[in-house]
């Protein structure tokens, strides 16, 4: 049990009776609770564990809300406030992570997570000055989550619900403490800020298929009157640098005071790019001596099952009264399994060669090929020229079908006397 004593502009929480909800209005219209003004130290307490992070027993808002995914958490539990407002926090590192994703009826949504610190904290144990905060996936799905905060060194204020997550008490990324503000319901910049800029990316989690490309929009925002040029750069972790390339267009943007500018990020992944959900893209913005870095999660995925078609001979010459062959190789791509049907049509390459040519005939052996996952299959294309076939050049258009998937190839055939 705790109560708050107001000292200056920050309350200090000490053990006693329950902390009743505060009277500060919510900045998020869907949150009906009133917020209690506190500090990071007020949330986590002053009892350190063996790693230097805060203990559960020392927390100022025990037990916190029971369900971090709830979009309507209770305003208090056991008489203790759960909804708080903290002023003047600062990003611990100039990036946030997009992780812990889940599928909802209206799409896939992820948590936006980062750590904040109290620059006024006097503790010699830095972990006792830090707090993990998250913009929740379920709030994003419901359309009630705040936007991701821009990456900046500026101080900002947050409102949200206190939650204890016991799974990360041994994790540095969680400041060796289970205490969180989860979900963050709203944030705003603190007063007396200096001109700066921030970076945001849309979509907040990047995705690209092997052998293809995708794009995202990087926005550079003017904060507190910032105006000037910002140089942008993008890179990926060294593990995938040889198989995944990034480009930004433009690479330098100009921002007016209170304005913003955008650059298009293009991600190109080769077919050999390793599949993984949590690769990291590093985006940097530099203006003068100021640099901000945004780390964004990149998922490289396997394309849907498919197959390819390839004739070993794309041209042949056939004499009248004889035939020629070409081996058609079908290859499963991305675990494709199933049967592929082959058909062909023949047309003169030059329609002026004869007004009514007699075309050569074609056949496949077999006309239906079965493919196993990542396997190959073959069929022999036979082109026959009867004694009535008109000499000339013909195009054999081959079509391979399997359900909704269709691919084609051509073989040029020259009929001679």
């Amino acid at each position: 049990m705790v109560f708050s004593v107001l000292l200056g502009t920050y309350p200090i929480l000490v053990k006693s009776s329950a902390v009743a909800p505060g009277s500060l209005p919510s900045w998020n219209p869907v949150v009906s609770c009133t917020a209690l003004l506190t500090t990071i130290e007020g949330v986590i307490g002053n009892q350190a564990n063996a790693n230097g992070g805060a203990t559960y027993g020392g927390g100022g808002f025990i037990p916190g809300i029971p369900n971090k995914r709830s979009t309507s958490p209770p305003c208090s539990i056991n008489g203790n406030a759960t909804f708080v407002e903290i002023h003047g926090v600062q990003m611990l590192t100039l990036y946030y992570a997009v992780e812990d994703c889940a599928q909802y009826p209206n799409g896939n949504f992820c948590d936006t997570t980062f750590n904040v610190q109290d620059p006024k904290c006097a503790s010699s144990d830095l972990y006792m000055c830090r707090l993990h905060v998250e913009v929740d996936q379920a709030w994003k799905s419901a359309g009630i989550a705040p936007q991701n905060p821009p990456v900046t060194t500026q101080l900002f204020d947050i409102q949200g619900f206190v939650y204890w997550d016991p799974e990360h008490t041994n994790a540095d990324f969680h400041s060796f403490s289970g205490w969180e503000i989860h979900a963050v319901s709203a944030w705003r910049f603190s007063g007396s800020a200096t001109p700066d800029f921030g970076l945001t990316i849309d979509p907040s989690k990047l995705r690209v298929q092997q052998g293809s490309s995708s794009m995202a929009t990087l926005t550079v925002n003017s904060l507190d009157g910032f105006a000037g040029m910002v140089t942008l750069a993008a890179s990926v972790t060294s593990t995938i640098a040889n198989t995944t390339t990034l480009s930004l267009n433009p690479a330098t943007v100009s921002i007016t005071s209170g304005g913003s500018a955008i650059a298009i990020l293009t991600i190109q992944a080769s077919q050999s790019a390793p599949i993984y959900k949590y690769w990291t893209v590093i985006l940097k913005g530099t203006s003068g001596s100021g640099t901000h870095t945004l780390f964004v999660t990149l998922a490289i995925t396997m394309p849907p099952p498919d197959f390819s078609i390839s004739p070993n001979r794309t041209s042949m010459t056939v004499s009248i009264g004889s035939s020629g062959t070409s081996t058609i190789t079908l290859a499963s791509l991305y675990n494709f399994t199933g049967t592929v049907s082959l058909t062909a049509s023949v047309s003169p390459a030059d329609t002026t060669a004869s007004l009514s040519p007699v075309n050569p005939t074609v056949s496949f052996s077999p006309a239906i090929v079965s493919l196993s996952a990542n396997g190959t299959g073959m069929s022999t294309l036979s082109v026959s020229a009867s004694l009535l076939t008109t000499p000339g050049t013909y195009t054999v258009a081959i079509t391979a079908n399997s359900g909704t998937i269709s691919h084609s190839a051509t073989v040029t055939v020259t009929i001679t006397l």
Side-chain angles (χ1 to χ4, degrees), residues 91-111:
M91 278 191 170
L92 179 62
T93 51
L94 291 177
Y95 67 89
Y96 53 76
V98 179
E99 57 191 8
D100 199 5
C101 304
Q103 188 66 38
Y104 290 78
N106 58 332
N108 188 271
F109 295 91
C110 311
D111 292 335

Side-chain angles (χ1 to χ4, degrees), residues 269-287:
S270 70
Q271 288 189 342
S272 61
I275 295 171
Y276 186 54
K277 292 182 179 180
Y278 299 110
W279 295 119
T280 300
V281 170
I282 305 105
L283 301 170
K284 287 186 178 181
T286 303
S287 182

Side-chain angles (χ1 to χ4, degrees), residues 340-358:
V340 180
S341 300
L342 296 170
T343 58
S345 61
V346 182
S347 59
D350 181 3
T351 57
T352 63
S354 174
L355 294 178
S356 4
V358 177

